[in-house]
Amino acid sequence: MTIRVLLADDQALLRATFRILIDSCADMEVVAEATDGAEAVDLARIHRPDVILMDIRMPGTDGLAATTVVCADPELSGTRVLILTTFEIDEYVAQALRAGASGFLGKDVTADALLDGIRTVASGESLLSPHATRVLIARFLTAPAQGARLAVSEDLSALTAREREVMAWVAEGHSNEEIAEKLYVSPLTVRTHVHRAMTKLGARDRAQLVVIAYQSGLVQAPPPGER
């Protein structure tokens, strides 16, 4: 299956570079390019891409506002947003993850990492390294967000004990394979628990499950000295 990608960035040279790289792969293609967030939303509704590479800082409607609109649109439930940022960690990235983005990449990313990232997000996984997850959680995700939280502790009552356990490991940045080793089960079993937890909590993807885990109190942010 070909992964359909929408590029959203105000820098023409960067878009051209990404287009050449993506179109050179047999399993993906660029279906449209947007120069700001409003155009990205319009083009997403027309083309229904699998992944949007979304820059945060764009003139007019920025990537954060566009991500919020895309992730809240039921008709775009199959579209994943991958944030592009000059800075590895910043408040805008955290806000985008709260809104439903599936992960982020720095603009200095290597070609292989970019392509792997697109494939990862298109498959329904999140693109958050354990280190990045811990820093984001410690600095931003546990703080009160603008608007309502995604979940409170009472919402976790629908989960089984094993689903809560797996969710906690996910929140600490562990992969399905790593969790499977810890629990002596198969990666497929872990994946099943993750998807059941996402369904019960209304999480868009694995990245949003991480946000819910911390905001609901299932997992605590690490002390300052351990960040």
Side-chain angles (χ1 to χ4, degrees), residues 182-225:
K182 295 177 183 295
L183 301 180
Y184 302 102
V185 297
S186 71
L188 179 59
T189 297
V190 173
R191 184 179 178 86
T192 299
H193 288 311
V194 170
H195 280 275
R196 284 177 178 169
M198 286 167 50
T199 299
K200 291 179 180 179
L201 296 173
R204 182 181 177 87
D205 59 15
R206 196 181 183 101
Q208 205 162 55
L209 195 66
V210 171
V211 178
I212 293 173
Y214 282 91
Q215 289 193 341
S216 66
L218 177 66
V219 179
Q220 300 297 317

Side-chain angles (χ1 to χ4, degrees), residues 15-226:
R15 292 199 313 274
T17 301
F18 285 159
R19 175 182 276 277
I20 292 172
L21 180 62
I22 292 169
D23 284 344
S24 69
C25 297
D27 63 336
M28 61 181 74
E29 65 175 339
V30 174
V31 296
E33 297 181 24
T35 59
D36 62 31
E39 187 178 16
V41 172
D42 290 341
L43 290 174
R45 288 170 172 161
I46 294 171
H47 296 280
R48 305 295 175 86
D50 300 300
V51 176
I52 301 176
L53 281 180
M54 183 83 75
D55 185 24
I56 287 288
R57 296 172 177 82
M58 293 184 286
T61 303
D62 63 21
L64 177 59
T67 297
T68 301
V69 173
V70 168
C71 294
D73 189 337
E75 295 187 358
L76 295 175
S77 60
T79 297
R80 299 288 178 259
V81 177
L82 181 55
I83 297 298
L84 289 170
T85 177
T86 305
F87 307 98
E88 182 184 4
I89 303 291
D90 65 19
E91 185 174 2
Y92 293 109
V93 172
Q95 291 180 33
L97 291 175
R98 289 194 192 104
S102 296
F104 63 91
L105 288 170
K107 284 191 175 181
D108 59 350
V109 64
T110 65
D112 287 344
L114 174 67
L115 298 175
D116 287 344
I118 293 172
R119 294 185 181 103
T120 296
V121 169
S123 72
E125 299 295 328
S126 61
L127 195 65
L128 293 173
S129 69
H131 170 71
T133 299
R134 289 172 67 84
V135 174
L136 276 169
I137 293 304
R139 291 180 58 186
F140 302 117
L141 296 185
T142 54
Q146 295 180 354
R149 284 173 173 264
L150 292 175
V152 293
S153 57
E154 289 77 9
D155 295 325
L156 302 185
S157 60
L159 303 183
T160 65
R162 180 47 63 91
E163 287 165 355
R164 285 195 295 272
E165 184 178 15
V166 169
M167 183 175 170
W169 285 117
V170 169
E172 293 184 1
H174 296 284
S175 68
N176 288 352
E177 290 72 20
E178 291 170 339
I179 298 171
E181 289 183 6
K182 295 177 183 295
L183 301 180
Y184 302 102
V185 297
S186 71
L188 179 59
T189 297
V190 173
R191 184 179 178 86
T192 299
H193 288 311
V194 170
H195 280 275
R196 284 177 178 169
M198 286 167 50
T199 299
K200 291 179 180 179
L201 296 173
R204 182 181 177 87
D205 59 15
R206 196 181 183 101
Q208 205 162 55
L209 195 66
V210 171
V211 178
I212 293 173
Y214 282 91
Q215 289 193 341
S216 66
L218 177 66
V219 179
Q220 300 297 317
E226 298 180 13

